[in-house]
Structure formats: structure tokens, C-alpha cells
Amino acid sequence: SEVLSTSLPRYYKKYVHLVPIPHTPANHDEHTENGVALDHVVCWWPGAPRADKGIGIILRLVSLKDPDAHKLLLVAAKSTMLVSQTGCIRVETVDDKLDRQDYERRFFASNVVLLPYDRDIYSESTSGIFVECIVAGAIPLVTKDTWMAYELEKRNLGELAIDWGSEFLIQQIIGIATSHSIKQKIRTMQSEYRSFHSIPSFAQAIYSLYKRLPHS
């Protein structure tokens, strides 16, 4: 990460080169526009239900009662054992291990991707899922003071680093998912990420480093 490329040289006394994250969706489909009319907002929580990925926050989210809770659909892995509760958001579970095509399709079919990751663990560490989310054009919701928040704040998207403990969390998610200004800024960031975080860009970065090596 850009953050680590600043801190690591001080520790190792070596130059650190920033390289792209290449495992991004190769199929650049058009992103879904579900939720524009505030009637169907798909929220995907990808990955395993681990503490550092925010399982505690997700458990709270699915138990929140709100008059507009029915407008949200949470998609999560079957191993989460999450179920819909009366007066709360709807829940749909999918296989824990999706093939690459189905995995990428989930990004394009989701309005927002929930990334309530641990602040300490992800303060400087990157998230491949976050990069994949941006490349697909979905809106990520992240934890404040993480690398993901840093990337968003640089692009005037600091409002996507949310307070997961807010009593108005459901209303906040709906408002973000249907904001035209946020969607426009995500499209701008998406274009930048698609250019940088790709296999050709990664190959070029590695080649540029190779050319810097001494050759006999």
C-alpha cells in the first residue's frame, strides 16, 4: 500500500516500490443500478465470517429494526448462519466458495460492499476485495482509519468510512447507495483503479524494476 511504502523504508532501510494489485475483475460489465428508487439495495459482505472482517458488526446490522430495513438485502456466506428476522433487513446466503465467475458477478450485482474490517489490522494493510469492488464499480463501506478509508478520502469519498455503531446505520446505507454524487465519484475512482490495478500494469511495474537491476 502507499501507506506501507512510506513506513517500511524507515524500518528496513530499503527502497520500497508500490505495485498494482492485479487480481481484479477481467470482465468489465456495467454495474447494476438496483436501489436507485430506494426499493432494493443489495449489500454484499464477501469472504469468511471472521472477527477481523467484522462479523460482530454484521451480526448487529442484521438485528437492527428500522421501518426501511426491508429495503436492504444482505448477501453473505452460508457459514455465517445468518437468517432474516422480523422487522430487520433481509438476508440471503450464498456458497462460501464461489468460482471466479460467480465471485466477480457478485460485485456487479451489488449496490454496496460491506467491509467493516478491523481498524488496527487494516490501518496500513491492503484489501484485495476493496480493489475488486472499486474496479467493478460497487460502493464500498469501510471502517475509519483504515487503508481503505485513506484511499477513499484521497478521492473525496470520506463519507464511505462510516460509523458502524450508528443507530441510523440502515438509513445511512440507503442514502449512500442511492447518492448520484457518490456514484459519479466512484466511477472516476473506478477508471483510475482499472488503469492501475490490472495484469498489464502489474507486468509493467515488475518489468521496470527488472530493468533497474544490474545485468552482466
Side-chain angles (χ1 to χ4, degrees):
S1 70
E2 186 176 317
V3 182
L4 276 176
S5 69
T6 301
S7 62
L8 285 179
R10 293 195 296 266
Y11 182 82
Y12 287 108
K13 310 300 182 186
K14 298 288 185 180
Y15 173 75
V16 173
H17 187 82
L18 185 67
V19 297
I21 297 172
H23 57 86
T24 52
N27 180 20
H28 291 170
D29 290 340
E30 288 300 316
H31 190 264
T32 181
E33 286 300 318
N34 284 345
V36 171
L38 293 180
D39 61 351
H40 188 61
V41 177
V42 179
C43 308
W44 184 30
W45 183 46
R50 304 201 313 257
D52 63 317
K53 300 285 188 179
I55 180 62
I57 291 170
I58 298 299
L59 288 172
R60 175 182 177 272
L61 175 61
V62 298
S63 67
L64 288 176
K65 294 188 180 295
D66 187 282
D68 288 325
H70 65 282
K71 296 177 181 178
L72 293 187
L73 172 65
L74 174 68
V75 179
K78 289 180 180 178
S79 60
T80 62
M81 306 295 287
L82 296 175
V83 295
S84 302
Q85 304 177 42
T86 303
C88 302
I89 69 176
R90 294 172 292 146
V91 175
E92 174 188 327
T93 57
V94 296
D95 290 338
D96 283 56
K97 294 184 178 180
L98 301 172
D99 63 36
R100 189 67 195 181
Q101 186 176 15
D102 287 339
Y103 174 75
E104 292 185 358
R105 188 181 295 121
R106 284 286 167 185
F107 285 109
F108 292 103
S110 302
N111 301 110
V112 297
V113 176
L114 306 180
L115 303 174
Y117 292 178
D118 182 87
R119 179 180 288 106
D120 294 330
I121 294 176
Y122 286 91
S123 62
E124 295 184 326
S125 298
T126 61
S127 164
I129 291 177
F130 172 82
V131 174
E132 291 167 335
C133 171
I134 296 296
V135 168
I139 299 173
L141 298 182
V142 307
T143 304
K144 295 178 180 179
D145 300 321
T146 58
W147 169 77
M148 294 82 79
Y150 169 82
E151 286 288 294
L152 292 167
E153 287 162 4
K154 284 200 306 180
R155 297 163 177 87
N156 196 28
L157 281 163
E159 65 266 50
L160 301 184
I162 64 174
D163 176 10
W164 294 103
S166 171
E167 60 180 304
F168 306 108
L169 184 56
I170 288 177
Q171 292 296 331
Q172 189 175 7
I173 292 174
I174 293 173
I176 288 172
T178 56
S179 168
H180 291 288
S181 63
I182 289 176
K183 288 176 184 291
Q184 182 57 52
K185 286 186 283 187
I186 286 291
R187 281 193 286 270
T188 301
M189 187 174 178
Q190 176 190 36
S191 178
E192 177 190 343
Y193 263 43
R194 282 184 173 181
S195 176
F196 182 67
H197 293 292
S198 65
I199 291 175
S201 178
F202 180 83
Q204 182 58 44
I206 296 301
Y207 181 60
S208 67
L209 290 175
Y210 168 76
K211 290 196 298 183
R212 294 175 56 176
L213 296 175
H215 298 285
S216 57

